[in-house]
Amino acid sequence: MRTRPRTPVMALVALGALVLAGCSPTEEVDPLLQEHGLAGMDGRQIVEHLEATGQARPLPYGASVRETEVLLSEGEHEVAVPLPSGQHYVSIAPYVDVTHDCYYHSLATCQGELVEQPVEVTITSDDGEVLVQEQAVTHPNGFVGFWVPSGTAGTIEVTYEGMAGAVPFTTEDGDPTCITTLQVT
């Protein structure tokens, strides 16, 4: 009795997937992201790129850090790019004399007082865990930002030129991503 060779089912499935992938449309890049050099970046990369940019504020488009996404806008067009799950971005603008009100950090318009200045930042949770302890330099927008675990409460301490200040923070849903109340004295 003669048997014919069988093609493994998995090989056929894989071949079908390749054929379908070749025929499926490619993911379209949002024109706002493309126009401003943000295409191909994830939410975290967009936040870090815009936070550090030396481009004068205000930027020609909106960019706001929310709890779970960075929201970019230009005119009527908006695009939301997800941020890492389980992390909350906290952007801090320590100040000596001048501050501004802020809740959701605007990467496009927020401008802090201490521009490109060395600061020491310690972020400690209420249970005593040190989440951040580092020397940093504020960005051209006067802010320095950190990714901390969502659902955390604690204290942010900043030292600058022998002056120090501290404020409480929380990273629950609906909590701010912008800290502009930390005065160093």
Side-chain angles (χ1 to χ4, degrees):
M1 172 183 211
R2 218 171 149 177
T3 61
R4 50 183 199 160
R6 294 185 185 187
T7 305
V9 173
M10 292 308 290
L12 287 175
V13 170
L15 180 60
L18 287 173
V19 169
L20 287 175
C23 296
S24 65
T26 58
E27 188 174 314
E28 194 171 311
V29 176
D30 188 279
L32 187 137
L33 298 176
Q34 185 73 36
E35 179 182 343
H36 298 291
L38 305 172
M41 293 184 189
D42 64 24
R44 183 176 179 143
Q45 291 167 325
I46 289 172
V47 168
E48 291 172 356
H49 172 77
L50 293 179
E51 189 85 280
T53 185
Q55 192 174 356
R57 299 314 194 263
L59 298 177
Y61 53 93
S64 177
V65 182
R66 306 302 173 97
E67 302 98 328
T68 60
E69 64 190 13
V70 58
L71 184 61
L72 299 132
S73 61
E74 191 168 41
E76 297 291 316
H77 182 72
E78 285 189 349
V79 61
V81 180
L83 294 175
S85 178
Q87 294 185 334
H88 190 99
Y89 189 67
V90 178
S91 193
I92 308 155
Y95 74 98
V96 176
D97 296 311
V98 179
T99 192
H100 64 280
D101 289 333
C102 185
Y103 197 83
Y104 289 126
H105 182 47
S106 173
L107 297 160
T109 61
C110 280
Q111 182 62 57
E113 176 186 9
L114 303 179
V115 174
E116 298 178 330
Q117 295 298 307
V119 294
E120 184 174 328
V121 179
T122 304
I123 301 177
T124 308
S125 68
D126 281 345
D127 66 4
E129 181 183 357
V130 176
L131 304 171
V132 173
Q133 186 167 28
E134 68 180 65
Q135 298 285 331
V137 175
T138 58
H139 296 294
N141 66 356
F143 282 80
V144 61
F146 300 94
W147 298 93
V148 297
S150 298
T152 303
T155 303
I156 300 169
E157 298 174 70
V158 173
T159 302
Y160 166 71
E161 292 188 347
M163 298 177 283
V167 294
F169 79 98
T170 57
T171 61
E172 300 290 339
D173 285 343
D175 283 338
T177 58
C178 192
I179 306 293
T180 57
T181 55
L182 199 157
Q183 184 175 25
V184 291
T185 55

